Amino acid sequence: MPDGALAAILKEHGGGKARRVGQSELRIVDLPPGLEKQSVEKLARHPHIEFAELDEIVPLGASNDPYFGSQWHLPKTRDDAAWSISAGEGVTIAILDTGVDVSHPDLKDRMVAGYNFYNGNSDSSDVYGHGTAVAGTAAASLNNGTGVASPAGAAWIMPLRISAADGSASYSTMATALNWAADKGARIANLSYQKACGSASVQSAANYMRSKGGLVVVSAGNSGVQEAFAASDALICVSATDASDSRASWSSYGAYVDVAAPGAGIYTTTRGGGYGAWNGTSFSSPLTAGILAQMMSANPSL
């Protein structure tokens, strides 16, 4: 549309001078304060104007996942601001847990091949429910219009079942799975198990993964007491905070803890395709793992 013709139309609706965007036909127009919405609606109905919309300011990295509003921990850690830079693209996160519901609508598109180290087969389905919640905290699909969001919503999930049906797992199985994940190219491994931070076997396997360019993230535990575990360069041990940035009363703490992250009321995926809120350092740990995946994706040389 010629500038003169557009100017005449804008004058009818109180619009100011139109500024062309580059060489396109798109224009930016100043409208009378308080009448912006009304003016846009009239302009949008004009037969010679293809469209008109308010020049809205939207949050950086806004999510279209419907339960994002229930995930207080993501704005708290500023993950939503980081999504415009990275959402974990190209990084694989190994979830060493009770298995993962690989058919969950918020997880199924993020899966790579995993393994069941408890039974010695390829069936990595979730036998307890814990692993699915952990996986979603780290890497539920981002901006798919479904369920929840996560820090590394574009990363890959490697489901590794290490547990018995009651959720328990041995140090040896943890170490075996860590070595396998490292050899299969996982850059991050999450281990949400109490006392794993104090295991020499787990630390040895974590050092192997580190030699491959990876990192192992472990939950600090939910005993609510100061633990005597020694600090380790092999592991990133994570305690839990609440919405007020205080240590959660049930979170373990001590010199072995490297970082604290939200772990109370973490809304995430649940086995069977659902969603719910979970508490524990089991969730501050994968939240941290997801953030690390964002960092690795943004700078693969780290």
Side-chain angles (χ1 to χ4, degrees):
M1 179 186 299
D3 290 340
L6 179 59
I9 294 172
L10 293 175
K11 187 175 182 180
E12 296 175 15
H13 301 289
K17 184 178 180 180
R19 306 184 298 283
R20 189 183 293 267
V21 177
Q23 301 300 313
S24 72
E25 290 298 312
L26 183 65
R27 271 84 157 189
I28 300 172
V29 179
D30 293 325
L31 296 169
L35 299 177
E36 295 93 344
K37 185 176 181 181
Q38 177 182 341
S39 299
V40 165
E41 290 174 351
K42 290 180 179 178
L43 289 169
R45 293 194 295 268
H46 197 283
H48 298 304
I49 293 178
E50 184 175 350
F51 72 89
E53 67 175 1
L54 286 173
D55 186 13
E56 296 187 50
I57 297 175
V58 298
L60 187 63
S63 168
N64 68 6
D65 299 287
Y67 295 140
F68 174 70
S70 299
Q71 296 182 276
W72 68 269
H73 56 286
L74 295 177
K76 175 68 73 172
T77 52
R78 301 187 67 189
D79 287 299
D80 52 341
W83 285 327
S84 62
I85 302 170
S86 166
E89 294 86 349
V91 175
T92 297
I93 304 173
I95 303 295
L96 284 68
D97 216 287
T98 63
V100 176
D101 179 356
V102 297
S103 64
H104 194 291
D106 235 355
L107 301 174
K108 61 185 179 64
D109 294 334
R110 308 261 55 83
M111 292 295 162
V112 299
Y115 196 73
N116 180 338
F117 289 92
Y118 185 79
N119 294 123
N121 59 41
S122 60
D123 182 8
S124 56
S125 56
D126 194 346
V127 295
Y128 192 75
H130 188 268
T132 299
V134 167
T137 303
S141 293
L142 178 64
N143 278 342
N144 64 339
T146 299
V148 295
S150 69
W156 298 110
I157 298 169
M158 179 184 287
L160 304 180
R161 180 185 161 191
I162 61 172
S163 82
D166 64 0
S168 62
S170 67
Y171 291 151
S172 60
T173 306
M174 295 176 190
T176 301
L178 284 175
N179 279 272
W180 191 90
D183 288 340
K184 295 296 183 180
R187 292 293 308 278
I188 302 285
N190 185 82
L191 190 54
S192 287
Y193 275 83
Q194 182 131 334
K195 297 187 177 180
C197 283
S199 166
S201 298
V202 170
Q203 291 181 32
S204 177
N207 271 322
Y208 178 71
M209 188 165 189
R210 188 175 177 182
S211 75
K212 297 274 191 175
L215 289 172
V216 178
V217 189
V218 185
S219 57
N222 303 326
S223 298
V225 298
Q226 182 171 354
E227 299 282 8
F229 305 136
S232 169
D233 289 339
L235 305 170
I236 297 175
C237 295
V238 188
S239 62
T241 55
D242 59 24
S244 64
D245 283 334
S246 299
R247 180 179 63 85
S249 61
W250 37 258
S251 175
S252 301
Y253 58 98
Y256 69 105
V257 171
D258 298 290
V259 66
I266 304 301
Y267 212 74
T268 183
T269 50
T270 58
R271 184 176 57 166
Y275 301 89
W278 293 65
N279 298 303
T281 58
S282 284
F283 304 97
S284 53
S285 180
L287 177 63
T288 302
I291 293 170
L292 290 171
Q294 285 180 289
M295 295 167 64
M296 282 186 172
S297 178
N299 186 351
S301 66
L302 288 174

